[in-house]
Amino acid sequence: MIELLDSICGDITKREREHFARTLSKIQLTTFLPSANIFASGAPFNGIYLIKCGMAKSFTRIDDQEIFTMIALPGDVMGCESLHSGIYESTLTSAVETEAIWIPTECLALLLRVSPQFRSYLNGKISRAIAENDFMICVLAKAKAEARVAYLLLKLFKATQDAGGGNNRKCLSLSRVEMADYLGLQFETVSRKLRLFSKLGHVRVSGKTIQVRNPAALKQICHSLAAPGC
Amino acid sequence: MIELLDSICGDITKREREHFARTLSKIQLTTFLPSANIFASGAPFNGIYLIKCGMAKSFTRIDDQEIFTMIALPGDVMGCESLHSGIYESTLTSAVETEAIWIPTECLALLLRVSPQFRSYLNGKISRAIAENDFMICVLAKAKAEARVAYLLLKLFKATQDAGGGNNRKCLSLSRVEMADYLGLQFETVSRKLRLFSKLGHVRVSGKTIQVRNPAALKQICHSLAAPGC
DNA sequence: CGCCCACTTGATAACGTTCAATATACGTGG
DNA sequence: CCACGTATATTGAACGTTATCAAGTGGGCG
């Protein structure tokens, strides 16, 4: 975890690092198999997770339902919404094989205390998460079904690009039902819109494997249908 | 501001407080008239604001539109989504006369450094804000128009109660257009649903002044119409 | 092979938007 | 104080989009 520490809190001196070695050594990179539970709503809060690669679904508990509110992609920090309470407020489940760095509560407290750089790093991540949520609110408030589906495709597409996947063919690892839940639609609607994009030649759909052939057109659709930019 | 400091970071020693007096003295309680700009998207980030009383509207900038994404009520901390960039990512405008505590960037950095209690306080506020956003996502994704309007009424109603307003009569300080923007509806729809609630006797509507007569019924509507709990 | 599940496709209905006409409130100047 | 104009709110009718219901397809697996 030395590289991690260097990248997000390089301001910790060698001496501090040795002094806190025992606590810091608890930070670990974990690999989760598909559909594994990373943390569950109601469980005791024991730290935050930085998604390193893969993809996870975050569910918010409302009453007795778990609602799919967020897709966690590499770079995202998960679990922050539970900092204030002793228990996790949401459930995080890996959609595919996912690597995440676990920062246990005590390490979190330590790093926040001794490293301005870490504080700034975490603030940045959190503020980005809030901005992302705000954006999702805009999508759900204003965008029509077509724009929502286009938005999701572009979002997943971009994540693949960022991860270095030069190819634009991608296995979604989300069922139609999951896509619909995330976008606030019915799965039949998602199916129809995918078909439409397919007919227009913007994508090639084959079950869960989708190839984005014309991202510019999808962006256009996002913008044109009262949707905020993608 | 002594009381404020005591309540949110009572762990700062007297000596520290004297030592940092000059910086800490910059924290101030400001009163904003209705429709005043508290901060504007694009402006240099100069700190966060804790809403003390009143109400403000937060607009997220997407492309060249400003979209009404959040209602800031007493206790909310605003501006956090801009911690990572040097500029404000959103615009905050007071809806009514609003008091807010301004914590300038340098005070923020100082408090985060010296006070675990403040770190915890801020983390709590931020995590609550994320949870609130998640909830809004659920509302927009699942709830029908009727449930959305009921949700907004209950939210504003609750804020009034919290502020000590024993009376359930309330001036909304939001136009139908603003309510509709927030809820992702058309203003005509909001108007119709208010009329419906009025006919059912759940509220008394008279322009912007609304009296909630039957909060339980509104809660019921929130739950029944595929809406997550209120 | 047959079952189950996820997905597709079609028909219909419900809901909300859109357009349009009217009404009410609010502020300004006579 | 009233008349006027503008902004905001209500209400109605027609339309469009999406949800809902239902039937059918195809792939994976025992």
Side-chain angles (χ1 to χ4, degrees):
Chain A
M1 290 288 81
I2 302 296
E3 330 77 63
L4 168 72
L5 283 175
D6 278 336
S7 69
I8 62 181
C9 43
D11 56 345
I12 296 186
T13 63
K14 196 168 165 231
R15 204 173 138 198
E16 280 174 328
R17 204 172 290 189
E18 279 164 11
H19 187 240
F20 299 124
R22 199 146 136 235
T23 301
L24 293 178
S25 70
K26 289 182 179 153
I27 295 174
Q28 50 181 274
L29 182 68
T30 314
T31 302
F32 297 92
L33 293 176
S35 303
N37 225 63
I38 303 177
F39 54 77
S41 99
F45 178 76
N46 66 0
I48 60 174
Y49 292 82
L50 321 186
I51 308 295
K52 194 88 174 127
C53 69
M55 172 179 149
K57 294 170 285 177
S58 175
F59 299 85
T60 300
R61 186 173 193 81
I62 304 284
D63 290 339
D64 48 358
Q65 296 173 45
E66 299 247 309
I67 295 178
F68 183 12
T69 53
M70 189 185 165
I71 294 179
L73 294 169
D76 287 335
V77 178
M78 305 304 294
C80 290
E81 74 289 346
S82 310
L83 283 168
H84 75 282
S85 63
I87 59 170
Y88 285 106
E89 298 288 332
S90 61
T91 296
L92 189 65
T93 307
S94 55
V96 294
E97 185 167 302
T98 301
E99 286 179 27
I101 295 161
W102 175 45
I103 303 185
T105 315
E106 55 181 313
C107 301
L108 192 59
L110 173 66
L111 289 174
L112 286 172
R113 180 156 58 83
V114 302
S115 169
Q117 194 174 323
F118 181 78
R119 283 202 293 274
S120 154
Y121 170 85
L122 193 63
N123 280 339
K125 290 296 184 188
I126 291 176
S127 65
R128 247 175 266 274
I130 297 177
E132 189 75 17
N133 267 10
D134 275 354
F135 192 83
M136 192 65 199
I137 288 177
C138 295
V139 169
L140 293 175
K142 306 280 179 205
K144 294 204 184 295
E146 230 163 293
R148 296 188 197 192
V149 175
Y151 162 71
L152 177 57
L153 290 178
L154 286 171
K155 183 184 171 97
L156 295 174
F157 179 62
K158 184 171 175 299
T160 320
Q161 303 286 82
D162 289 350
N167 196 341
N168 51 2
R169 169 171 284 127
K170 161 136 183 86
C171 177
L172 279 195
S173 47
L174 287 178
S175 71
R176 300 293 126 103
V177 171
E178 288 171 313
M179 287 195 260
D181 277 350
Y182 179 66
L183 297 171
L185 299 168
Q186 291 305 113
F187 69 93
E188 294 98 327
T189 305
V190 173
S191 186
R192 279 183 243 272
K193 295 307 175 186
L194 283 175
R195 189 94 192 75
L196 173 69
F197 293 162
S198 168
K199 272 187 180 159
L200 293 172
H202 300 156
V203 298
R204 263 185 66 77
V205 182
S206 163
K208 285 188 182 176
T209 304
I210 293 195
Q211 181 182 11
V212 176
R213 311 188 84 166
N214 191 348
L218 293 181
K219 270 182 198 143
Q220 181 59 37
I221 288 165
C222 271
H223 284 78
S224 61
L225 294 176
C230 299
Chain B
M1 288 290 82
I2 302 297
E3 330 77 65
L4 168 72
L5 282 174
D6 278 335
S7 70
I8 64 184
C9 43
D11 56 343
I12 295 185
T13 62
K14 198 168 163 231
R15 204 173 137 195
E16 281 173 329
R17 204 173 288 189
E18 280 163 11
H19 187 239
F20 298 125
R22 199 146 135 233
T23 301
L24 293 178
S25 71
K26 291 183 179 153
I27 296 173
Q28 49 181 272
L29 182 67
T30 314
T31 302
F32 296 92
L33 294 176
S35 302
N37 224 62
I38 302 178
F39 55 76
S41 99
F45 178 75
N46 67 359
I48 60 174
Y49 292 81
L50 320 188
I51 308 295
K52 197 89 173 113
C53 70
M55 173 180 148
K57 295 171 284 178
S58 175
F59 299 86
T60 300
R61 187 175 192 77
I62 305 284
D63 291 339
D64 48 359
Q65 296 173 45
E66 299 246 308
I67 295 178
F68 183 13
T69 53
M70 189 184 165
I71 294 179
L73 294 169
D76 288 337
V77 178
M78 305 304 295
C80 291
E81 73 290 346
S82 310
L83 282 167
H84 74 281
S85 63
I87 59 171
Y88 284 106
E89 299 286 333
S90 60
T91 297
L92 189 66
T93 307
S94 55
V96 293
E97 184 167 302
T98 301
E99 286 179 27
I101 294 160
W102 176 45
I103 303 185
T105 315
E106 54 181 316
C107 300
L108 192 59
L110 172 66
L111 290 174
L112 286 172
R113 181 157 57 82
V114 302
S115 168
Q117 193 175 325
F118 181 77
R119 285 202 291 276
S120 154
Y121 171 85
L122 194 63
N123 281 339
K125 289 296 183 187
I126 290 177
S127 66
R128 246 175 266 272
I130 296 177
E132 189 75 16
N133 267 9
D134 275 354
F135 192 83
M136 192 64 199
I137 288 177
C138 296
V139 169
L140 292 175
K142 307 279 179 205
K144 295 203 184 293
E146 229 162 292
R148 296 188 196 191
V149 175
Y151 162 70
L152 177 57
L153 290 178
L154 286 171
K155 183 185 171 97
L156 295 175
F157 179 62
K158 184 170 175 304
T160 319
Q161 303 286 82
D162 289 350
N167 196 341
N168 51 3
R169 170 170 284 126
K170 161 139 182 84
C171 178
L172 280 194
S173 48
L174 288 177
S175 70
R176 300 293 127 102
V177 171
E178 288 172 312
M179 286 194 262
D181 278 351
Y182 179 67
L183 297 172
L185 299 168
Q186 294 304 115
F187 70 93
E188 293 98 327
T189 305
V190 173
S191 187
R192 280 183 243 272
K193 295 307 177 187
L194 284 176
R195 190 93 191 75
L196 173 68
F197 292 161
S198 168
K199 273 187 180 159
L200 292 172
H202 301 155
V203 297
R204 262 185 66 78
V205 182
S206 162
K208 285 187 181 174
T209 303
I210 292 194
Q211 180 182 12
V212 176
R213 311 189 83 167
N214 191 350
L218 295 180
K219 269 181 199 145
Q220 181 58 36
I221 288 166
C222 271
H223 284 77
S224 62
L225 295 176
C230 296

